[in-house]
């Protein structure tokens, strides 16, 4: 009964997909570790257990530390002295030293037994910004706690070792935060390389190799840009006043639960405090003139890589800002099919495309723009000077970065 | 809802390490009370200083920097003077160990210093056990093992609490309230885990017993094939073939060959003549034992601990205990014939009763001790043909040497 309650409590705190034998949840990798694999095997046979002790699975390494080497050297010295003198006292000492090594190995194995881990890598990932990767741990043992684990994590070229500083009680779970700063846009490998421990006496360094990881898309970095009002391109053209759909600039219509991507400025703090979860305000949308953001990645135009990177960051920032203002109706990149923007997910798809975009030789322009019903007012991203970029609307510069 | 147990902080772990280190150092030093080593001053200092510094750790933090700078040179100087004046390596090393242990117990310790303390303590416990062969050694080594494992566990946990780096110190650890610390340790411990740890330690002791019985006792000289591949070269002169070129090595070898303990010192002749090997054949490059003389040795078919011979009988109850070093020769040093020669373990012995010589099957790889009873000490072999013309004066009538043991 107690165990059931404990499990329920653990599930409640860890959320969906929290059990190590379940499949991965969104934004999470699958569970890995001795507990997860043993539950998948269903039956832990003594024969396989003994065989695993004699012939450890691939990736498991046990290496002596300096302390362990010292202990082995002392054992060898005492053993040599014991054989030279045939002294039983020395044989007793040698036996105790060897037994301590065996005990160290057994406790090290017990420490890692029934432990499972997974990564939580949910975004959004943006170049130049720090994103927290969560490493969730579960101790499935019934009696013994787990101590002193370390985790070798890598993101791209950088790697870091995180330590479990506190005790992980039996049946309990915990989460280690790993701040990762993505340096550039593109695909980023977030991986857990190995899990290890010096527990219990520091004689042996036990490490379990891991191939747990995920590939995340890093969006272009946000940049500061300047709007130019002289072209009057940003003017708000009201059609019939406010329209009957949700937006972000009209009157307050309702409250809804916070979802990732919502602006913190929309959080309704009083309602959040009352309901104990984040609530955001929903406004009615205003009828405004929209734009289509268009980016041509012609390598002949974008000759400087840093300028191209700036253009992508500018496009990403502009797209988010226009969406927030309810003025982004579509996006268009080269010859790819134009994308009608109706919700936040559409903007994220656009940012995903920007994350992997490279200059193309002679890209063809899309012929479907008119057919999709996009607004005719296209906001083109073009180079300005040697380093800058500009958003051009109707032949006029509306913003620069 | 189950309340989670608290955990020891880094400071509390350091305080626990300090306590365990002091305890291990003190107990291992006290094992020397069983030994006849002149280290009473160092023992008294440790007995006084270690408990004081252990219970008031701020004293360790208050030690001036020059104390730490001077400690090692001072200890080495004292050790060198001790060794030079007494010329006894082992007692000097034990006193050196005591000084180092005392310094480690009273100065602040990190991970490395804790490991040094354990090693120094292990040396004392093992040396005491080897030389006293006391049953108390079992208790001492078990206590030492348990306490050392607890200390190593505390070191590992404190390193983990410090974020994986070797924690050298924790701010404020010296301000300790022992009663509160032990109460906190009691709340942190899960009795079921403690019981399991006790069972595991019992398993370690059981495994040690099994290993102690299972470890093969190999006689290296008899079983290792390398021994037969190594070219033998005489360093002592007591081999069956001595060449002229080896004389320099023989004269340079001044190490002890054997020691003798006599039950009745009055039985030691004033000029003892020890017989070992007879080289009666000149080979052109040196001297060797002739084939005829070799064939005169008679060996028993099986190894036994006791061997009989032709020696004195009757009321001579003198017992000669010989401690024969390894690497000297396979021929045993004897004063003459004997009535009974006994070893600690079964040995194959071949004897030439005509020359009153005895030899083991091979040169011993470790020290061999044997007792000789009824040994002739006159140093003369009576030759029947020679005796027809002359009467040989018995050496027993010569002046006896003052009592004491003999060394060659």
């Amino acid at each position: 009964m107690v165990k059931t309650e404990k499990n329920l409590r653990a599930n409640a705190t860890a959320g969906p997909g929290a059990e190590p034998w379940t499949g991965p949840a969104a934004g999470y990798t699958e569970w890995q570790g001795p507990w997860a694999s043993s539950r998948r095997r269903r039956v832990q046979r003594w024969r396989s257990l003994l065989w695993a002790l004699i012939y450890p699975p691939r990736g498991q390494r046990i290496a002596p530390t300096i302390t362990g080497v010292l202990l082995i050297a002392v054992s060898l010295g005492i053993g040599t002295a014991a054989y030279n003198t045939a002294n039983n006292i020395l044989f007793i000492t040698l036996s105790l030293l060897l037994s301590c090594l065996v005990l160290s190995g057994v406790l090290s194995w017990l420490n890692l037994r029934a432990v499972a881990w997974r990564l939580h890598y949910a975004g959004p990932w943006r170049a130049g910004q720090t994103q927290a990767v969560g490493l969730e741990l579960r101790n499935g043992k019934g009696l013994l706690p787990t101590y002193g684990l370390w985790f070798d994590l890598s993101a791209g070229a950088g790697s870091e070792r995180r330590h479990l500083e506190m005790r992980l009680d039996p049946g309990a779970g915990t989460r280690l935060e790993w701040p990762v700063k993505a340096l550039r846009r593109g695909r980023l490998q977030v991986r857990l390389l190995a899990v290890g421990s010096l527990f219990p006496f520091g004689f042996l360094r036990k490490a379990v190799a891991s191939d747990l990881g995920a590939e995340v898309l890093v969006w272009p970095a946000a940049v500061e840009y300047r709007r130019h009002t002289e072209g009057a391109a940003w003017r708000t053209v009201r059609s019939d006043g406010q329209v009957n759909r949700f937006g972000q600039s009209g009157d307050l219509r309702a409250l809804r639960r916070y979802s990732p991507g919502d602006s913190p400025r929309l959080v309704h703090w009083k309602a959040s405090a009352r309901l104990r979860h984040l609530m955001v305000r929903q406004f009615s949308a205003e009828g405004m003139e929209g734009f289509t953001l268009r980016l041509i990645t012609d390598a002949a135009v974008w000759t400087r890589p840093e300028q191209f990177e700036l253009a992508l960051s500018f496009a990403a920032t502009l797209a988010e800002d226009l969406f927030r203002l309810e003025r982004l109706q579509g996006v268009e990149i080269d010859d790819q099919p134009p994308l009608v923007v109706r919700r936040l997910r559409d903007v994220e798809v656009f940012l995903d495309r920007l994350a992997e975009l490279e200059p193309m030789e002679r890209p063809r322009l899309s012929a479907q723009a008119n057919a999709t019903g996009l607004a005719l007012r296209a906001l083109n991203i073009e180079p300005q000077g040697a380093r800058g970029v500009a958003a051009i609307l109707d032949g006029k510069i509306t913003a620069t970065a | 809802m189950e309340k989670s147990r608290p955990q020891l902080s880094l400071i509390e772990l350091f305080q626990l390490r300090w306590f365990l280190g002091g305890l291990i150092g003190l107990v291992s030093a006290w094992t020397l009370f069983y030994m006849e080593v002149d280290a009473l001053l160092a023992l008294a200092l440790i007995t006084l200083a270690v408990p004081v510094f252990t219970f008031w750790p701020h004293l360790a933090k208050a030690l001036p920097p020059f104390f730490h700078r001077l400690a090692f040179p001072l200890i080495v100087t004292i050790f060198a003077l001790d060794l030079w004046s007494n010329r006894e390596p082992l007692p000097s090393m034990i006193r050196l160990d005591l000084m180092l242990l005392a310094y480690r117990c009273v100065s602040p310790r990190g991970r490395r210093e804790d490991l040094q303390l354990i090693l120094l303590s292990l040396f004392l416990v093992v040396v005491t056990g080897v030389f006293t062969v006391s049953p108390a050694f079992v208790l001492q080594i078990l206590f030492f093992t348990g306490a050392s494992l607890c200390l190593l566990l505390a070191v590992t946990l404190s390193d983990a609490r410090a974020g994986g780096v070797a924690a050298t110190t924790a701010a404020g650890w010296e301000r300790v309230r022992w009663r509160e610390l032990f109460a906190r340790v009691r709340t942190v411990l899960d009795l079921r885990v403690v019981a399991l740890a006790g069972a595991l330690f019992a398993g370690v002791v059981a495994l040690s017993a099994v290993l102690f019985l299972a470890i093969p006792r190999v006689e290296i000289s008899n079983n290792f094939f390398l021994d037969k591949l190594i070219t033998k070269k005489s360093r002592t002169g007591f081999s069956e073939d001595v060449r002229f070129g080896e004389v320099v090595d023989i004269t340079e070898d001044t190490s002890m060959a054997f020691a003798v303990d006599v039950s009745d010192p009055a039985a030691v002749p004033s000029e003892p003549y020890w017989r070992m090997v007879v080289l009666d054949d000149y080979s052109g490059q040196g001297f060797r034992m002739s084939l005829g003389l070799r064939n005169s040795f008679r060996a028993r078919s099986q190894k036994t601990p006791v061997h009989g011979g032709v020696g004195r009988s009757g009321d001579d109850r003198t017992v000669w205990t010989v401690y024969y070093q390894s690497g000297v020769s396979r021929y045993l040093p004897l004063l003459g014939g004997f009535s009974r020669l006994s070893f600690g373990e079964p040995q194959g012995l071949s004897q030439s009763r005509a020359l009153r010589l005895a030899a083991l099957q091979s040169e011993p790889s470790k020290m061999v001790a044997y007792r000789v009873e009824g040994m002739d000490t006159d140093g003369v072999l009576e030759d029947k043909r020679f005796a027809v013309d002359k009467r040989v004066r018995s050496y027993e009538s010569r002046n006896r040497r003052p009592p004491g043991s003999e060394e060659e």
Side-chain angles (χ1 to χ4, degrees):
Chain A
M1 184 66 184
V2 174
K3 196 166 187 176
T4 310
E5 285 177 3
K6 204 181 285 182
N7 287 341
L8 286 174
R9 193 171 67 247
N11 281 345
T13 53
E19 292 300 338
W21 50 92
T22 57
Y28 290 88
T29 62
E30 63 179 0
W31 285 98
Q32 203 178 52
W35 190 22
S37 53
S38 69
R39 287 302 296 250
R40 285 194 198 103
R41 282 200 301 272
R42 296 280 181 188
V43 180
Q44 180 79 35
R45 293 179 183 165
W46 280 101
R47 194 174 57 183
S48 59
L49 176 68
L50 283 174
W51 181 244
L53 286 176
I54 296 166
Y55 186 76
R58 183 184 294 273
Q60 282 200 14
R61 296 187 306 274
I62 298 178
T65 59
I66 293 175
T67 315
V69 169
L70 193 69
L71 179 72
I72 292 169
V74 169
S75 303
L76 283 174
I78 289 178
T80 309
Y83 273 106
N84 276 326
T85 60
N87 191 306
N88 281 334
I89 297 291
L90 293 176
F91 276 113
I92 289 173
T93 311
L94 177 66
S95 308
L96 265 174
L97 288 176
L98 294 177
S99 303
C100 287
L101 263 179
V102 173
L103 175 70
S104 174
V106 169
L107 286 179
S108 176
W109 169 72
L110 281 174
N111 191 45
L112 269 174
R113 190 178 151 268
V115 178
W117 48 79
R118 69 173 176 177
L119 287 174
H120 179 215
Y121 57 89
W125 290 77
R126 193 180 280 276
Q129 289 183 2
T130 301
Q131 176 69 26
V133 175
L135 178 70
E136 293 190 355
L137 293 169
R138 295 289 304 279
N139 180 8
K141 291 193 283 287
L143 175 62
L144 291 174
T146 291
Y147 295 94
L149 296 182
W150 79 67
F151 302 88
D152 284 337
L153 297 148
S154 80
S159 63
E160 191 174 333
R161 176 169 285 185
R162 308 295 292 181
H163 292 266
L164 174 67
E165 297 179 9
M166 305 294 282
R167 181 184 65 216
L168 185 58
D169 282 323
T174 189
R175 179 185 168 96
L176 303 179
E177 294 286 342
W178 175 39
V180 176
K181 188 173 184 178
L183 297 177
R184 59 183 64 86
R185 68 180 177 88
R187 292 184 179 273
L188 179 71
Q189 301 280 341
V190 180
R191 297 219 166 276
L192 174 65
L193 302 175
V195 181
S197 172
L198 288 177
F199 186 83
F201 309 125
F203 297 149
L204 302 171
R205 180 182 288 108
K206 178 162 185 169
V208 181
S210 168
D211 57 353
L212 199 65
E215 193 175 63
V216 296
L217 271 177
V218 181
W219 295 340
V223 290
E224 289 185 0
Y225 64 91
R226 181 173 164 226
R227 289 184 182 181
H228 297 263
T229 54
E230 58 269 24
W234 293 101
R235 73 179 185 274
T236 301
V237 181
R238 295 183 183 277
S239 53
D240 296 325
Q242 293 177 0
V243 296
N244 191 22
R245 59 186 171 97
F246 289 117
Q248 293 180 1
S249 56
D251 295 334
L252 178 65
R253 290 190 63 192
L255 293 176
R256 63 169 172 83
R257 196 163 183 155
Y258 175 86
S259 62
D262 285 338
S263 170
R265 284 180 292 186
L266 296 177
V267 174
H268 193 286
W269 295 108
K270 282 185 180 176
S272 300
R274 194 166 54 248
L275 296 173
R276 291 176 179 265
H277 53 252
L278 287 175
M279 299 294 292
V280 291
R281 291 168 290 178
Q282 281 189 298
F283 297 94
S284 62
E286 291 178 347
M288 292 181 294
E289 189 179 22
F291 302 108
T292 296
L293 198 61
R294 180 183 291 165
L295 179 65
I296 310 298
T297 63
D298 190 352
V301 175
W302 301 102
T303 54
R304 296 170 182 271
E306 65 274 13
Q307 197 175 25
F308 183 69
E309 291 298 323
L310 180 62
L312 296 182
S313 298
F314 182 43
T317 312
L318 210 52
E320 286 182 296
D321 287 351
L322 289 174
F323 176 75
R324 206 169 291 127
L325 295 170
E326 301 284 328
R327 300 183 68 181
L328 184 66
Q329 292 195 342
V331 288
E332 192 177 344
I333 300 173
D334 298 334
D335 55 347
Q336 294 177 14
L339 182 69
V340 179
V341 175
R342 294 194 181 91
R343 53 187 181 274
L344 183 63
R345 179 62 197 148
D346 298 329
V347 180
E348 290 175 352
V349 169
F350 174 62
L351 294 176
D352 285 347
R353 287 184 187 173
L354 289 182
E356 296 185 283
L357 208 57
E358 296 296 334
M360 288 179 65
E361 296 292 337
R362 298 177 183 279
R364 289 180 294 113
L365 295 181
S366 172
Q368 303 173 6
N370 292 333
T372 53
L374 292 179
L376 291 175
R377 304 196 73 190
L379 202 57
N380 294 302
I381 307 295
E382 295 177 4
Q384 187 191 34
R387 296 182 180 176
V389 290
I392 310 291
L393 182 68
D394 298 336
K396 292 176 181 173
I397 295 176
T398 54
T400 54
Chain B
M1 189 169 177
E2 189 181 341
K3 191 181 177 184
S4 64
R5 282 180 296 118
Q7 301 192 35
L8 291 181
S9 65
L10 187 61
I11 291 175
E12 288 164 338
L13 283 167
F14 260 89
Q15 291 167 349
L16 197 61
R17 282 167 64 172
W18 180 255
F19 174 76
L20 286 170
L23 187 67
I24 289 170
L26 197 62
V27 171
S28 61
W30 281 349
T31 58
L32 282 182
F33 283 120
Y34 294 94
M35 274 187 81
E36 294 175 357
V37 175
D38 186 17
L40 270 180
L41 181 65
L43 273 175
L45 276 175
I46 284 183
T47 306
L48 196 68
V50 173
V52 169
F53 275 77
T54 301
F55 280 97
W56 289 283
H58 62 274
L59 293 176
K61 294 279 282 186
L63 287 173
F66 74 84
F67 175 80
H68 300 292
R69 275 200 299 272
L70 289 179
F72 186 67
L74 194 67
I75 289 172
V76 170
T77 308
I78 292 173
F79 169 66
L81 287 174
D82 185 11
L83 193 62
W84 181 71
S85 60
N86 293 320
R87 299 193 183 283
E88 293 176 323
L90 189 65
S92 298
M93 283 182 67
I94 289 174
R95 284 188 282 270
L96 170 69
D97 191 287
L98 276 177
M99 287 187 286
L100 291 171
L101 194 63
Y103 175 67
R104 276 286 159 255
C105 285
V106 300
S107 59
R109 297 188 297 269
R111 177 191 179 86
R112 194 183 65 165
E113 288 79 15
D114 275 332
L115 296 178
Q116 286 174 358
L117 190 143
I118 291 174
L119 210 58
L120 292 168
S121 304
L122 177 68
F123 177 79
L124 281 186
V125 172
V126 172
V127 166
T128 310
V130 166
F131 282 93
T132 59
V133 199
S134 163
F137 169 77
V138 177
L139 294 177
Q140 289 166 3
I141 192 80
L142 285 181
F143 173 80
F144 171 80
T145 306
S148 298
L149 291 181
C150 288
L151 177 57
L152 286 169
L153 181 64
V155 169
T156 309
L157 294 182
S158 55
D159 285 353
R161 285 303 300 264
V165 295
T168 51
T169 188
W173 70 270
E174 71 275 7
R175 290 187 292 275
V176 56
R177 293 176 180 171
W178 293 108
R179 189 170 292 180
E180 289 177 13
L181 176 69
F182 291 131
R184 182 138 169 85
V185 169
R186 206 168 52 242
T187 55
V188 163
L189 288 176
D190 184 348
L191 285 180
R192 295 174 303 166
V193 177
V194 172
L196 185 65
L200 279 171
F201 190 71
V204 166
V205 175
L207 181 63
S208 301
V210 171
L211 284 174
F212 174 70
L213 296 174
I215 288 175
R217 270 46 167 194
V218 182
E219 284 200 32
I220 296 170
S221 60
N222 294 342
N223 295 303
F224 274 44
F225 69 95
L226 284 174
D227 184 58
K228 297 181 174 60
L229 297 178
I230 296 170
T231 308
K232 290 284 180 64
K233 183 182 177 185
S234 171
R235 292 189 67 246
T236 62
F238 298 122
S239 62
E240 293 158 354
D241 188 358
V242 180
R243 294 169 186 263
F244 293 130
E246 298 168 0
V247 172
V248 176
D249 289 337
I250 292 168
T251 52
E252 284 180 351
D253 187 2
T254 57
S255 56
M256 188 176 73
F258 66 93
V260 185
D261 189 18
V262 189
S263 62
D264 179 14
V268 180
S270 58
E271 293 179 22
Y273 184 79
W274 290 95
R275 311 173 61 76
M276 285 181 67
V277 63
V278 176
L279 306 177
D280 60 334
D281 187 20
Y282 177 64
S283 63
Q285 290 89 32
F287 288 93
R288 65 188 176 194
M289 186 180 280
S290 66
L291 189 62
L293 190 53
R294 284 188 196 189
N295 291 337
S296 71
F297 279 82
R298 295 283 178 268
R300 291 185 68 164
S301 58
Q302 58 184 3
K303 292 181 178 180
T304 56
V306 180
H307 299 265
V310 180
R312 286 177 181 169
S313 57
D315 56 350
D316 183 10
R317 299 185 182 279
T318 309
V319 177
W320 303 71
T321 307
V322 183
Y323 301 96
Y324 193 31
Q325 295 295 324
S326 62
V328 178
S329 175
R330 73 185 185 97
Y331 292 91
L332 302 181
L334 294 167
L335 286 170
F338 57 87
S339 57
R340 179 187 166 93
L341 192 148
S342 52
F343 294 96
E345 52 192 8
Q347 292 278 1
L349 192 74
S350 54
Q351 294 184 51
S352 170
R353 299 198 174 186
L355 290 173
R356 308 291 193 265
L357 296 179
L360 298 169
Q361 286 180 341
S362 59
E363 194 177 295
S365 61
K366 61 188 181 190
M367 190 188 74
V368 174
Y370 56 93
R371 289 156 57 103
V372 188
E373 297 168 43
M375 185 157 63
D376 285 335
T377 56
D378 54 13
V380 172
L381 281 181
E382 293 180 356
D383 190 315
K384 288 178 183 174
R385 283 177 296 179
F386 181 71
V388 171
D389 301 326
K390 295 183 179 179
R391 185 183 182 82
V392 178
R393 183 170 57 94
S394 171
Y395 273 66
E396 284 185 347
S397 60
R398 291 184 179 183
N399 293 331
R400 306 271 180 189
R401 288 192 68 185
S405 62
E406 282 295 318
E407 285 187 6
E408 184 175 310

